[in-house]
Amino acid sequence: MARTSTAARTSVPLGSLTQPGARSGQGCRACGSPRVTRISMSLTDGSPVEFTSCHRCEHRTWEEQGAQGSVLPVDRVLDKTRKII
Ligand SMILES: [Zn+2]
């Protein structure tokens, strides 16, 4: 009985990859997870922002572009987008 040891070597991606992020704020601001969706968009008043949505904790962040990526408070975002809603 030859026991062929099928080495089920599933290399599990641990997801804790420390990416050499040139830019700060690459991951989630709340939990630090790199699994985020980043979308560049413009608010109603024309200010370019980067929207980050976390897959892990569903934290959402809007960051002002150009201004060293300062985080916009949700109130500000809603204020800027209120005109179309
Ligand atoms: Zn998160």
Side-chain angles (χ1 to χ4, degrees):
M1 275 188 215
R3 246 172 159 228
T4 38
S5 59
T6 31
R9 254 179 277 139
T10 36
S11 54
V12 182
L14 291 172
S16 58
L17 303 168
T18 40
Q19 290 182 327
R23 302 177 52 185
S24 58
Q26 279 250 311
C28 174
R29 297 254 178 177
C31 70
S33 170
R35 293 198 58 212
V36 294
T37 302
R38 281 179 85 86
I39 304 167
S40 295
M41 55 191 264
S42 295
L43 297 181
T44 322
D45 67 351
S47 44
V49 293
E50 227 165 285
F51 172 68
T52 306
S53 177
C54 179
H55 290 275
R56 194 157 117 196
C57 71
E58 295 185 10
H59 182 79
R60 282 159 201 188
T61 310
W62 285 266
E63 287 167 60
E64 266 178 308
Q65 285 185 1
Q68 280 135 31
S70 54
V71 178
L72 278 170
V74 180
D75 293 355
R76 285 277 307 280
V77 177
L78 291 179
D79 197 49
K80 285 167 178 281
T81 49
R82 190 159 41 194
K83 293 157 201 165
I84 48 164
I85 296 173

